[in-house]
Each structure stands twice: as structure tokens, then as C-alpha cells.
Amino acid sequence: MRDLKHLIYFEDLLREANNALVKQACAEGKLALAYNCSYIPEPLLDVDGCFGVRLRAPGCTNPDLATYYMTNRSCPYSKSILERAFEGGYNFLSALIGQECCTTMNRMEQYFDYCKLIPNEKFIVTCIDMPMKKGEWYGGYFRRQLEQKVLTPMHETYGIDYSEENLMEAIERFNEVCRIITEIGDLRKLDNPPITGYEFHVIQLVTEVCPKYLILPYLRETLEELRTREPDPEPWYRARVMLAGSEVDDPEFTKLIEMCGAIVVADRYCFGSLPGREPIEVKEGQHPLDAMAEYYMYKNECPRAMGTDALIDRRMYLYNLAKEYKAEGIILQNMKFCEYWGYERAIAAKWITEGNHIPSTIPTCQIERDYANAAVGQLRTRFQAFIESLEIKRIQDK
């Protein structure tokens, strides 16, 4: 396949948090609002002269200073973010909108405030408390959290106008990104996709770490390019897999899987598009803030949601995605020391492999990994063996 026109530019944007488009938006006087969790409504960070930046720490391999504060048994993603903050990598930020999703993440966000890591007198850290169950009452609680922990402090500190008109404008911009990413992602359902999993991973990531109004022209052009892109006559891959689990904000991890002979056709992980890139529907007469609260409560498939029904629903979601995207196997991964995703990975692998609460079984591969792609050799061996097992299964089924 011919190279995508903007792929190298997209890769450059992912090399640091303070990328070229972030610098351009800040130079235009816009406020950079950071977030670390899929539960944070992106449109709220894209209102009235603001833009959202999902924090990453590309290239962080040795979070020694953060380990001093958080111990060596803490999530490496959270430690890497804190390490990059100590290094001054996020000095452009105006606020950090956090979520009390886990103790380690919450502690990391608190250190931004306690240690005065951002040289901005107005810099604030505010954390919402996302309910751990889904339902009408919990939706109302979530909305009140957004009002108290985001709208109020941002308005009082920076004078942000969260009028219905501004919220709707931000939702419309978010929805356009979602429609583009969804159409591009749907190309992976084809028997011979005109896009690789690595390319899609890069494109999806830039939508989270760049101002949406600046990245949209590149996304529109890339979509038009992919609509007419011709794949190689014969599929280059040996198996189709879905990647699921905790944070995967390094496209090199997806590239490693594909270099072993598989194509990643579905991205059910934190930073991925499934779920998270479905348009927000604002019903007639509904306040946009209610629509956002409803969307992020019901669409999210985070293992933080408790209860047997939620657990079964997440297994069915994985199963349905695998069938929809024709994935022959699922790679389940989690960051070291991640309690939520550690349990989720083990339970999901057992249920899906044995066919518990799902119509049939699907082969799985379990990986526990560090934030940086350190043990590449071991991972390559695991992935190659898994892909070979999928090929053997396909032959046996015939």
C-alpha cells in the first residue's frame, strides 16, 4: 500500500506532549486542559477557548523520581506521567481534570498540586468521582460531579463560559471526530483492510492529544485518502487479532504485534476507539451536559464498573467486537500492578477461552507489561506463538 500522506506528521505529533499543534493552540491564547481517563468528557475540555490533551509520557523509560513518591509497586503509566511532570514536560498546561478511577492515578494527580509541578499560578487540579454503577440516579450524580468539579472551578478560575450553545458546539466538533474515526475504523472489518492496525492506532491517538479544531483538517484529508486507498492484492497478515485491556498509548506496541504476522483489527483498550468514538446524541429538549453524563456513563466499558451484570456485559462486548471485526483471537494485556485490569484480564481470559456467558469460545493471549516496551524479545516470542496457534486452529477447523 502507498504511504498515508500525513502519517509521518502524525507520528511526529506523538513524540511529545507539547507537540506542534498544542504549541500553536497555546500561542493563540487557548487553555490546555489535561486528562488521564476515558471517563472525562472530551467536549467539556473543548469549550470556549480551551482544548483537551490526554497525557502521555513518550520515551519515559526510567521513572526514578516518581517511584520515590509512589513506590516501585505502582502502576508504571501513572509513574511515567508524574516523572514527565517533574521533568517539566507539561508546563504548558492550565489545568488537570482527573478522575478517582484508582488510588495510583489519583495519587499521581494529587502530586501535580502538592508539588506545584506546573509553573502557572492559576493551574488547578480537580478530580471527579465517577459512580461505579450505571443507572438513572448514577447519571444524575455524575452530572453533579461535572458541575461541581469541572464547570464551577474552571469558570471561577478562568471565566470559561459553559453555556448550552458552547457545549453544543464542542459536542458537534467531537462528533465529527467520532464519525471520521469510526469510518476509518470500520475499514478494518474488510477481509483485506486498506489500513494497518498501527496506522489506525496513530490516527486515533492524535485525536486525543491534539486540539480538535487543528487536527480535524488532517483527519478529513486522511479519510478521503483511505476511501480510495488500494490494499495489496493479497492480505499481508497471517491472523486477525483484537487488542484489549489497559492503557496502550504507544503505537509501537501495535507495530510489534503486526511485525509478528497479525493485524490488529479492533482496539478495546484505554486510549482506543472502542468504545469512545461514538457520537454523542443530544435528545430534543435535553441539556447537553445531561447527554454527556449519560454517554460517558453507559458507553464506557471500564472494569471499574462493578456488579455481575457489568462483568457479563463486558465479556459480551469483547465477544461481539471480535465477531464484528472478524478477530480470530484476543490479546488481553494490562499494566503491571494495575488492580482493575489485572483482575479483568484474568477473568476475561478464562471466560472467553471457556465460553462462559458468551455464545462460543475465542482463543486468548494474556500479557502483563511495563509502560515502556522493554521486554520486546519475550513479547515477540509470545505473539509469534499465539499467531501460529491461530493459524493451526484455522487449518483444523477446515
Side-chain angles (χ1 to χ4, degrees):
M1 292 185 291
R2 69 176 186 272
D3 293 338
L4 292 174
K5 177 181 177 180
H6 297 303
L7 184 64
I8 294 177
Y9 180 61
F10 290 158
E11 291 171 333
D12 287 341
L13 291 173
L14 296 177
R15 298 192 192 284
E16 59 177 324
N18 194 13
N19 60 54
L21 294 185
V22 168
K23 290 176 181 176
Q24 179 181 337
C26 289
E28 294 173 359
K30 296 189 181 296
L31 305 176
L33 310 182
Y35 69 109
N36 282 313
C37 180
S38 301
Y39 274 124
I40 304 299
E42 290 180 57
L44 278 189
L45 314 185
D46 199 30
V47 172
D48 189 29
C50 303
F51 66 94
V53 178
R54 188 156 183 175
L55 293 187
R56 300 169 56 249
C60 183
T61 58
N62 194 12
D64 284 346
L65 187 56
T67 300
Y68 170 79
Y69 282 86
M70 299 180 66
T71 81
N72 59 2
R73 293 184 179 273
S74 298
C75 160
Y77 167 76
S78 298
K79 288 195 299 184
S80 297
I81 297 297
L82 183 60
E83 186 75 18
R84 186 54 48 85
F86 276 117
E87 296 169 351
Y90 307 126
N91 287 352
F92 61 93
L93 295 178
S94 297
L96 172 59
I97 313 299
Q99 207 287 96
E100 297 179 6
C101 51
C102 68
T103 302
T104 305
M105 186 84 77
N106 189 231
R107 181 62 60 85
M108 174 268 290
E109 292 162 347
Q110 289 173 340
Y111 278 129
F112 270 74
D113 188 21
Y114 296 161
C115 298
K116 306 299 180 185
L117 297 181
I118 308 300
N120 178 347
E121 292 183 359
K122 286 188 173 183
F123 179 79
I124 60 173
V125 177
T126 179
C127 294
I128 65 171
D129 176 24
M130 181 68 189
M132 302 181 79
K133 290 187 176 182
K134 301 179 180 182
E136 184 177 352
W137 184 90
Y138 300 101
Y141 175 80
F142 185 26
R143 181 206 158 111
R144 293 191 294 275
Q145 284 287 304
L146 295 177
E147 290 176 325
Q148 297 169 13
K149 304 294 183 64
V150 181
L151 274 62
T152 298
M154 290 302 297
H155 176 72
E156 293 176 348
T157 305
Y158 293 106
I160 305 303
D161 179 10
Y162 286 101
S163 64
E164 287 191 44
E165 181 181 356
N166 284 346
L167 289 173
M168 283 302 302
E169 182 181 343
I171 288 175
E172 289 168 5
R173 189 158 44 244
F174 172 81
N175 285 350
E176 183 179 1
V177 170
C178 291
R179 285 190 290 269
I180 292 173
I181 291 299
T182 297
E183 184 172 344
I184 293 175
D186 284 348
L187 295 174
R188 299 174 296 173
K189 299 176 184 179
L190 301 175
D191 292 334
N192 191 8
I195 186 171
T196 67
Y198 168 78
E199 291 171 333
F200 181 82
H201 195 164
V202 170
I203 296 168
Q204 161 62 12
L205 274 179
V206 296
T207 69
E208 297 180 306
V209 302
C210 297
K212 288 182 173 50
Y213 77 101
L214 292 178
I215 199 64
L216 265 170
Y218 297 97
L219 296 176
R220 296 180 189 121
E221 193 171 345
T222 301
L223 175 58
E224 290 300 322
E225 184 180 2
L226 284 166
R227 283 171 173 167
T228 58
R229 192 189 199 193
E230 291 292 335
D232 296 332
E234 294 293 330
W236 56 268
Y237 56 88
R238 295 157 49 199
R240 301 168 63 96
V241 300
M242 174 166 65
L243 180 58
S246 62
E247 292 87 352
V248 185
D249 70 1
D250 184 359
E252 292 298 319
F253 187 75
T254 297
K255 179 182 283 188
L256 175 62
I257 297 172
E258 297 195 322
M259 288 178 66
C260 294
I263 180 173
V264 177
V265 294
D267 54 331
R268 202 325 320 129
Y269 49 75
C270 298
F271 284 87
S273 68
L274 301 169
R277 283 295 177 250
E278 302 83 8
I280 297 174
E281 178 187 358
V282 183
K283 303 180 181 70
E284 185 176 355
Q286 185 180 32
H287 194 285
L289 192 60
D290 287 324
M292 273 189 267
E294 186 177 285
Y295 172 93
Y296 279 90
M297 180 181 65
Y298 284 110
K299 288 289 185 183
N300 207 301
E301 293 291 333
C302 177
R304 187 176 183 274
M306 297 298 178
T308 303
D309 290 342
L311 195 65
I312 294 173
D313 287 345
R314 290 198 295 273
R315 297 298 83 75
M316 279 302 303
Y317 184 73
L318 282 177
Y319 177 85
N320 290 333
L321 282 181
K323 295 303 179 182
E324 183 179 358
Y325 286 82
K326 305 174 187 175
E328 300 168 85
I330 303 176
I331 296 175
L332 294 158
Q333 56 76 38
N334 70 274
M335 291 282 176
K336 291 180 178 178
F337 310 118
C338 179
E339 292 188 26
Y340 285 126
W341 279 109
Y343 286 115
E344 184 78 0
R345 169 184 55 79
I347 295 172
K350 179 177 176 61
W351 283 23
I352 292 172
T353 302
E354 297 179 357
N356 294 338
H357 296 284
I358 58 175
S360 61
T361 63
I362 300 176
T364 62
C365 173
Q366 296 190 61
I367 298 292
E368 186 179 60
R369 63 186 188 86
D370 209 332
Y371 181 68
N373 287 335
V376 173
Q378 296 176 356
L379 290 174
R380 182 180 292 112
T381 300
R382 292 284 304 278
F383 293 149
Q384 288 174 337
F386 182 57
I387 293 164
E388 184 176 340
S389 71
L390 295 179
E391 289 184 296
I392 294 173
K393 182 179 184 300
R394 189 188 313 130
I395 294 171
Q396 292 174 339
D397 289 343
K398 289 182 179 178

